[in-house]
Amino acid sequence: MTNRHHVAVLVLPGVLALEFGAATQIFSTDPHYELTVCAGDGPGTVPVSGFAITVAAGLEALEDADTVIVPGYDDIDMPHPPELLAALRAAHARGARLVSICTGVFALAAAGLLDGRPATTHWRHAEQLRRRYPRVDVLPNQLYVDDGDILTSAGVTAGIDLCLHLIRTDLGAAAANTRARDLVAPPRRRGGQAQFIEQFRPEAGGDELAPLREWMLDNLAAPLAVDDLAERAHMSRRTLIRRFRQETGTTPMAWLTDARIDRARELLEASAMPVEQVGRLSGFGAPASLRAAFHRHLGTSPQEYRAVFRHRAEEANA
């Protein structure tokens, strides 16, 4: 087949094997794409934990690539050689589509390509990305962000979602669905769907209200209000809100909502109880309130959330 879309996967030191493997597997076996694995040091091998990756080309591969994919790497503090950053900038200026998976976004940001643009990464690194590159509009909860000629994603499975999104954009939904079936992957998860972070409620930076927070976790199903919490903490409403924010960075009711979402997620993942019961036990009450909270915070429904984790459990037991 002629005029195949040229994809260059740029391997950086400490590349994450799963993310590299996802990108190369998805595009290397599709007849519509031509894949080149390249690195800043040119052809050779790049050591990865437990094995080595064979690299076919140097940065010259970026000169005629239609899409450049930068998989994540483990040392986000490492300096990038000027020639690598220049090659990324030149590829973008020439019209290539740039894609990052997980921490690969730090290379694009270092090249100045994300200034004033939305981007995402794995939720563990979102705050570091925001602090280091304040001109980037970091969207920490999204699976992936399509900003036209630059696309960024979270970790491994979100990288697969993004690669399937690229195929859908290039070749249509049928081609993307076929590729998803080959990978035994969900055919489509929207980029705006939230990443499944460990917990939504923020960690506390103080201990004065720790007993109150523990009590809140033990009473999530109760109809709690700020005045109830202030009375239990023997504080005025205003003092409670101020000290709660000092310790957690958020308000008591926002923290309570996040904790209820965490509890609902635990129940959906670990049990088959009806959604109505999940709503009651987590403190949301009616199923409609639980669904609204999930759509607002996770970009999905409780049923869809449960289905994802059931699918993962079936794969693990296969």
Side-chain angles (χ1 to χ4, degrees):
M1 178 180 293
T2 59
N3 298 323
R4 293 191 297 172
H5 186 106
H6 182 198
V7 176
V9 177
L10 178 59
V11 176
L12 299 181
V15 65
L16 300 176
L18 285 177
E19 295 168 2
F20 168 80
T24 53
Q25 181 177 352
I26 288 173
F27 292 105
S28 65
T29 57
D30 191 312
H32 299 91
Y33 295 91
E34 174 188 356
L35 181 79
T36 301
V37 177
C38 60
D41 293 334
T45 58
V46 176
V48 183
S49 179
F51 62 98
I53 294 172
T54 300
V55 175
L59 294 176
E60 69 277 1
L62 274 59
E63 296 174 2
D64 62 356
D66 300 298
T67 295
V68 176
I69 300 179
V70 186
Y73 47 93
D74 55 16
D75 184 6
I76 60 175
D77 296 319
M78 70 176 182
H80 298 292
E83 59 272 19
L84 184 144
L85 300 180
L88 287 171
R89 286 191 288 264
H92 179 251
R94 180 179 52 76
R97 180 172 59 186
L98 300 190
V99 178
S100 70
I101 302 176
C102 193
T103 53
V105 72
F106 282 83
L108 301 186
L113 296 171
L114 296 177
D115 289 355
R117 304 185 69 148
T120 194
T121 186
H122 191 290
W123 59 269
R124 289 187 187 277
H125 305 292
E127 187 57 34
Q128 291 169 285
L129 181 65
R130 179 182 286 113
R131 288 198 305 266
R132 189 173 303 176
Y133 302 103
R135 297 185 63 186
V136 179
D137 180 15
V138 180
L139 305 178
N141 289 335
Q142 299 203 3
L143 291 179
Y144 60 85
V145 173
D146 181 346
D147 195 37
D149 56 345
I150 298 183
L151 302 91
T152 56
S153 80
V156 180
T157 56
I160 294 173
D161 293 326
L162 179 51
C163 289
L164 291 174
H165 173 72
L166 295 176
I167 293 176
R168 187 176 299 108
T169 300
D170 295 340
L171 305 173
N177 292 343
T178 297
R179 200 72 192 91
R181 283 194 295 271
D182 292 340
L183 297 166
V184 196
R188 183 170 190 176
R189 290 199 297 170
R190 300 180 307 276
Q193 181 173 322
Q195 298 181 41
F196 294 145
I197 64 177
E198 286 182 335
Q199 67 176 37
F200 272 89
R201 65 182 187 275
E203 297 289 350
D207 295 328
E208 180 183 4
L209 294 176
L212 176 65
R213 289 191 295 272
E214 288 298 321
W215 182 85
M216 292 166 69
L217 290 176
D218 290 338
N219 293 273
L220 291 177
L224 304 178
V226 174
D227 289 337
D228 301 323
L229 301 176
E231 181 178 354
R232 185 168 189 85
H234 305 293
M235 297 178 180
S236 69
R237 176 189 179 100
R238 179 176 296 180
T239 299
L240 172 70
I241 293 174
R242 175 170 52 82
R243 293 187 181 174
F244 206 99
R245 186 180 291 278
Q246 288 173 345
E247 292 192 12
T248 67
T250 189
T251 66
M253 298 313 291
W255 191 94
L256 180 64
T257 297
D258 290 344
R260 284 172 167 163
I261 289 175
D262 289 338
R263 178 64 52 80
R265 292 167 64 207
E266 293 170 0
L267 295 173
L268 290 168
E269 292 172 25
S271 76
M273 68 176 58
V275 171
E276 292 79 3
Q277 188 177 358
V278 172
R280 289 195 301 272
L281 293 177
S282 58
F284 286 107
S289 298
L290 177 63
R291 286 193 293 270
F294 262 61
H295 278 291
R296 186 166 57 252
H297 289 78
L298 288 162
T300 188
S301 70
Q303 292 89 343
E304 290 170 340
Y305 183 90
R306 170 175 276 165
V308 168
F309 280 87
R310 182 178 295 127
H311 176 74
R312 291 180 181 178
E314 290 171 351
E315 283 188 335
N317 295 326

